[in-house]
Amino acid sequence: RFEYQTLDRSRREIRLLELLPSNHQLSKFRPACRTFHASLDKNPPFLALSYVWGDPNDGEVILVDERRFQVTRNLFDAMMGVRETESLIIWIDAICINQADNEERGWQVSLMDNIYRQASKVLAWLGPSADDSDAVIDYLQKLGAKAEICGLHNGPEPCMRIWHAMTTTPSYMDDPTKVVSISWLDGRMLPVSKFALQLLFDSISGWKSQDRLLPMAGLKSLFRRAW
């Protein structure tokens, strides 16, 4: 049985997990991880997991420090889904906080804002793939990348300016490398070419290929899930 070691409150300690890779001998059939303590004051590198706990009566067993540890099925699926071929350092509330210790749980919950802010990345687990949800997420990632190249990540104003430039200056159509607009990305000037805009337009409209259209049925199913 897994046993928690006391955290040092004066150092703002938290527990972190080394989530073992899928090819590790301990994690062939279930998630396995190792725990260690770290001080938030030292800015340790880690990821954080955001997920829905799920039904507490629907549980699975994982390994924590080679000991059996009960988690909900949703967390089990999340850990199976996010692990990679190399170890990940990650914070997961249900494991990293001793849920049976009310005092610890209270002050650790008070640190959660800092934990999520200091995480290098927050992984949002939406559930196992189903109803073409993988296709939806892949499409949105590609569309977002193209939109960012065009500077369309800062609200609707750059978008309106760029579309106006496209529709009112037909001569841009002659040279795909022609810069049609200037946007800003993280304080840097970003020249936007006709070619980059055309790629984004094709993705949105599906004009070049129906395969580039957003899978609406999959999107509808994704947002109807019980989170």
Side-chain angles (χ1 to χ4, degrees), residues 16-21 24 32-36 87-90:
L16 291 175
L17 308 176
E18 178 192 4
L19 182 59
L20 300 178
H24 193 280
C33 57
R34 301 188 179 110
T35 63
F36 63 96
S87 295
L88 293 177
I89 304 302
I90 192 167

Side-chain angles (χ1 to χ4, degrees), residues 117-211:
R117 287 178 184 273
Q118 290 185 218
S120 59
K121 184 182 296 185
V122 176
L123 306 178
W125 175 251
L126 304 181
S129 60
D131 301 320
D132 293 326
S133 61
D134 280 349
V136 173
I137 297 301
D138 288 345
Y139 179 93
L140 293 175
Q141 286 179 332
K142 293 175 182 176
L143 183 62
K146 292 174 183 176
E148 190 170 84
I149 289 174
C150 295
L152 304 185
H153 59 291
N154 289 326
E157 293 177 0
C159 180
M160 297 301 296
R161 186 174 65 251
I162 289 173
W163 291 126
H164 178 74
M166 289 181 66
T167 57
T168 59
T169 315
S171 60
Y172 289 152
M173 296 290 293
D174 299 332
D175 183 4
T177 64
K178 180 80 172 180
V179 173
V180 298
S181 182
I182 300 295
S183 188
W184 295 90
L185 178 63
D186 300 328
R188 295 179 289 109
M189 191 168 66
L190 179 69
V192 180
S193 70
K194 175 64 185 178
F195 179 71
L197 289 171
Q198 196 65 52
L199 288 177
L200 178 62
F201 175 77
D202 291 344
S203 293
I204 294 173
S205 66
W207 185 75
K208 286 291 184 80
S209 171
Q210 292 298 308
D211 293 336

